[in-house]
Amino acid sequence: MRFYFCALFIFFVVRANAQIAIITSTSQGGNVNAVTTSAINTTGATAIVAQIGAFNLNVNGVMTDSKSNTWILVRTDMVTSSLANVFYICSPCTVGTGHTFTYTKSGSGPGLNILALGNVAQTPLDQQNGNSASAVTTIQPGSVT
């Protein structure tokens, strides 16, 4: 059995007198060309982070959702020559009930992880750094200032 690890630090600007809150999350594995999550209620979220990981990942995939949000590519980390982790963020976001997320690309079926956050300012992406590795016990994500 082989384990792949990914470490990502994203620093958000937080609304005054507030703490970042996890509103909801979901994960879904996909088929050969796409993955779509089940519907969740993202009401109250001010930022949504998507992480996609897959073998033979064509990193030029397309991230969409059922609320027609705009997704910004944060970073792509190649774990091996055929395995990648891709991160997107949406903010500001249209949120609500029945919210689904889809990542479409060519290659092996991706895994899609969604994290909806509350109390994040509308321009949330302050700094980011990360790293991915295969078969390691520790990983260094890099520094931010």
Side-chain angles (χ1 to χ4, degrees), residues 109-133:
L112 174 59
N113 300 295
I114 300 293
L115 182 62
L117 303 170
N119 297 325
V120 174
Q122 294 229 341
T123 311
L125 188 57
D126 181 24
Q127 297 182 45
Q128 58 82 25
N129 202 340
N131 194 2
S132 297

Side-chain angles (χ1 to χ4, degrees), residues 16-27:
N17 301 315
Q19 293 182 350
I20 291 178
I22 297 173
I23 302 300
T24 190
S25 64
T26 188
S27 296

Side-chain angles (χ1 to χ4, degrees), residues 71-119:
W71 291 88
I72 299 166
L73 177 64
V74 175
R75 71 179 293 119
T76 300
D77 286 319
M78 295 305 295
V79 179
T80 67
S81 61
S82 63
L83 176 66
N85 282 302
V86 181
F87 296 89
Y88 286 88
I89 191 166
C90 162
S91 182
C93 303
T94 300
V95 297
T97 60
H99 203 162
T100 61
F101 304 86
T102 300
Y103 187 73
T104 307
K105 55 88 193 157
S106 61
S108 298
L112 174 59
N113 300 295
I114 300 293
L115 182 62
L117 303 170
N119 297 325

Side-chain angles (χ1 to χ4, degrees), residues 20-39:
I20 291 178
I22 297 173
I23 302 300
T24 190
S25 64
T26 188
S27 296
Q28 185 69 48
N31 63 23
V32 173
N33 294 314
V35 59
T36 299
T37 66
S38 57

Side-chain angles (χ1 to χ4, degrees), residues 1-24:
M1 181 175 285
R2 209 171 175 107
F3 292 96
Y4 298 94
F5 297 96
C6 180
L8 176 71
F9 289 112
I10 299 176
F11 291 86
F12 297 102
V13 176
V14 180
R15 290 181 175 168
N17 301 315
Q19 293 182 350
I20 291 178
I22 297 173
I23 302 300
T24 190

